[in-house]
């Protein structure tokens, strides 16, 4: 309700587009942002987030649990994709054919206090046909080591991941959920070392199976987390009726389309461009009809109001049921985030 309040206020406030206000700041905070993001290097939206967003938009199934990510069937309402900011490392002591050693660095500072990590997936992308084992029997080995955030960038003891491939190309996905469960969030940084090597091959001197580092295209880390809003309680929602839009003086939902460009947010909200938020307006007259969803207190208040209209106001027409929407946006660190926000759309009003 506060979010909607804020949005409606923002819509009506002409000063908002020019200078940040206390109210906008507190609204952004409730959206999990420290300030209004102004993306400097907006990266393209990762296809996986677009697909998820489009799917939700195509089927805004309000019965679906908004605190679960269907695609992976895990709890969560926030999906972020972090780009790797690590550098290539000198190869050090060659053991067999060490092709590549790279630091993977993910700045996780965008995660908020109290968010719970429920899934982590690392994606390594290679240019087409980058690494191919040159001789039969030879394989490429890929290892991923944890690195202490403060220590030197040297592989730790045991790899988190160890896999062999006949060739590396296109995209490889690694499930790091178990590995990061307890470590990632408090650290705020995630540092890993990636090594790709070729097993010592057959006799003779095979040509190096190692491609140059330019064969390596991109690395990203997708995290699903459960924000505090979702942890509060397992809420139940029924499918709400669409607001009836005929004019009437009685308390009921009214149509309100909020355009993010009207509130000066079009730079950082990628999609949607706006949404049907609605609002509540109308009278709560005596005697209160059952469909006005009033409280006992409101019933008594209308009785008193009917006796003394000057002394006691009518009860207020306010949202009593709201539903969530998904928003795709850039956060304060230019990460692309898909987040499910509760209480963004008024479905039903009541006299309170
Ligand atoms: C994050 O990484 C930076 C750079 O490597 C380092 O200076 C800093 O101490 C790290 N922060 C934490 C909380 O680990
Ligand atoms: C990832 O690993 C976790 C923990 O090992 C497991 O519960 C989960 O099902 C895996 N997820 C996928 C998408 O494979
Ligand atoms: C991580 O990102 C935050 C926010 O963009 C920034 O303030 C901080 O300096 C970054 N930390 C590192 C180690 O790059
Ligand atoms: C009150 O709730 C009922 C269902 O619980 C709903 O059909 C009705 O539209 C609501 N009244 C208003 C004014 O929204």
């Amino acid at each position: 309700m506060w979010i909607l309040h804020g949005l409606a206020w923002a819509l009506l406030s002409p000063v908002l587009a020019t200078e940040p206000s206390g109210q906008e700041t507190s609204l952004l905070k409730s959206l999990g942002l420290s300030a209004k993001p102004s993306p400097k290097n907006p990266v393209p939206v990762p296809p996986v987030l677009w697909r998820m967003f489009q799917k939700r938009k195509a089927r805004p199934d309000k019965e679906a649990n908004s605190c679960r990510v269907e695609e992976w069937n895990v709890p969560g309402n926030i999906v972020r994709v972090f780009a790797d900011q690590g550098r290539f490392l000198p190869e050090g002591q060659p053991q067999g054919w060490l092709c590549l050693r790279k630091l993977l660095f993910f700045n996780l500072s965008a995660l908020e206090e109290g968010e719970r990590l429920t899934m982590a997936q690392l994606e390594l992308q290679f240019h087409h046909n980058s690494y191919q084992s040159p001789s039969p029997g030879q394989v490429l080995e890929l290892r991923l080591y944890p690195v202490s955030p403060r220590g030197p960038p040297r592989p730790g003891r045991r790899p988190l991941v160890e896999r062999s491939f006949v060739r590396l190309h296109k995209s490889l996905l690694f499930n790091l959920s178990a590995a990061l469960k307890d470590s990632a969030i408090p650290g705020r940084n995630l540092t890993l070392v990636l090594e790709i090597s070729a097993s010592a091959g057959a006799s003779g001197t095979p040509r190096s199976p190692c491609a140059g580092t330019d064969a390596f295209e991109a690395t990203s880390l997708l995290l699903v987390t459960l924000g505090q809003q979702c942890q509060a309680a397992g809420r139940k929602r029924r499918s709400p009726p669409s607001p009836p839009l005929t004019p009437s003086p009685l308390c009921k939902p009214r149509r309100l389309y909020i355009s993010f460009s009207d509130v000066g947010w079009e730079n950082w909200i990628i999609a949607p461009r706006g949404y049907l938020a609605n609002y509540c307006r109308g009278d709560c007259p005596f005697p209160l009809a059952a469909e006005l969803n009033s409280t006992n207190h409101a019933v008594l208040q209308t009785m008193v109001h009917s006796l003394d209209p000057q002394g006691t106001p009518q009860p207020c027409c306010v949202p009593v049921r709201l539903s969530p929407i998904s928003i795709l946006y850039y956060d304060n660190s230019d990460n692309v985030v898909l987040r499910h926000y509760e209480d963004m759309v008024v479905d039903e009003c009541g006299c309170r």
Side-chain angles (χ1 to χ4, degrees):
M1 190 187 312
W2 299 117
I3 291 172
L4 183 75
H5 243 102
L7 281 175
W9 179 88
L11 182 74
L12 298 172
S13 167
V15 296
L16 187 85
T18 51
E19 59 186 67
S21 64
Q23 187 144 3
E24 187 185 26
T25 306
S26 67
L27 173 56
L28 288 165
K29 200 164 271 170
S30 74
L31 298 177
L33 296 162
S34 55
K36 184 159 98 177
S38 51
K40 284 164 272 312
N41 289 310
V43 292
V45 177
V48 60
L49 291 190
W50 260 125
R51 277 198 304 275
M52 290 173 68
F53 178 80
Q54 298 295 356
K55 200 168 142 198
R56 289 175 185 204
K57 203 172 70 165
R59 193 175 54 84
D61 183 357
K62 292 176 175 165
E63 273 184 84
N65 186 339
S66 61
C67 297
R68 265 196 105 70
V69 177
E70 242 177 60
E71 283 75 4
W72 296 286
N73 194 27
V74 291
N77 64 322
I78 309 171
V79 186
R80 293 185 180 84
V81 174
F82 296 90
D84 169 37
Q85 300 171 19
R87 61 185 193 282
F88 288 97
L89 296 171
E91 281 152 33
Q93 291 299 309
Q95 300 173 307
W97 295 93
L98 179 57
C99 295
L100 174 151
R101 179 179 278 158
K102 186 181 186 308
L103 201 62
L104 306 183
F105 180 84
F106 301 99
N107 182 344
L108 307 184
S109 67
L111 293 171
E112 293 156 54
E113 211 55 58
E115 267 181 56
R116 189 155 72 75
L117 179 72
T118 57
M119 194 189 101
Q121 178 178 278
L122 180 75
E123 179 170 18
L124 302 181
Q125 283 173 277
F126 299 90
H127 291 297
H128 187 63
N129 256 356
S130 302
Y131 286 84
Q132 194 145 12
S133 75
S135 49
Q138 197 171 34
V139 291
L140 293 157
E141 281 161 8
L142 186 151
R143 293 189 190 82
L144 207 53
Y145 294 95
V147 177
S148 126
R150 271 165 282 279
R154 190 175 300 136
R157 316 104 304 180
R158 231 159 47 80
L160 285 176
V161 171
E162 192 166 18
R163 266 160 61 180
S164 303
F165 298 88
V166 173
R167 61 184 196 157
L168 297 173
H169 72 139
K170 293 185 183 165
S171 164
L172 298 176
L173 299 177
F174 299 91
N175 179 354
L176 298 185
S177 305
L180 301 188
K181 198 118 220 156
D182 308 310
S183 64
I185 304 296
R188 295 292 185 242
N189 278 345
L190 174 66
T191 314
L192 301 168
V193 168
L194 169 71
E195 280 186 4
I196 297 174
S197 53
S199 64
S203 57
T205 355
R207 70 188 166 84
S208 166
C210 303
T213 52
D214 58 345
F216 198 80
E217 191 172 349
T219 311
S220 61
L221 180 71
L222 181 147
L223 295 187
V224 177
T225 59
L226 197 57
Q228 276 174 324
Q229 204 180 23
C230 271
Q231 296 176 36
R235 305 200 195 188
K236 274 184 259 126
R237 285 179 188 283
R238 283 187 313 97
S239 179
S242 305
L245 300 171
T246 48
S248 149
L250 283 186
C251 171
K252 60 152 60 176
R254 316 284 164 161
R255 200 181 159 89
L256 168 66
Y257 181 82
I258 291 186
S259 155
F260 291 124
S261 63
D262 287 349
V263 299
W265 284 8
E266 73 277 20
N267 284 343
W268 62 278
I269 295 187
I270 304 164
R273 306 221 172 247
Y275 76 105
L276 196 58
N278 303 325
Y279 67 100
C280 294
R281 189 163 70 195
D283 284 340
C284 295
F286 175 80
L288 276 180
E291 63 273 17
L292 292 179
N293 300 310
S294 42
T295 54
N296 289 339
H297 176 269
V299 172
L300 288 167
Q301 189 175 333
T302 49
M303 287 170 70
V304 177
H305 170 76
S306 68
L307 299 173
D308 175 17
Q310 303 307 318
T312 310
Q314 272 190 354
C316 297
C317 176
V318 295
V320 296
R321 186 196 293 274
L322 297 114
S323 55
I325 63 165
S326 292
I327 298 183
L328 195 57
Y329 64 93
Y330 293 107
D331 69 10
N332 299 114
S333 313
D334 289 6
N335 304 307
V336 181
V337 184
L338 176 63
R339 183 161 176 163
H340 215 63
Y341 286 108
E342 294 290 327
D343 299 343
M344 294 290 280
V345 177
V346 173
D347 295 318
E348 287 170 17
C349 304
C351 293
R352 297 291 157 97

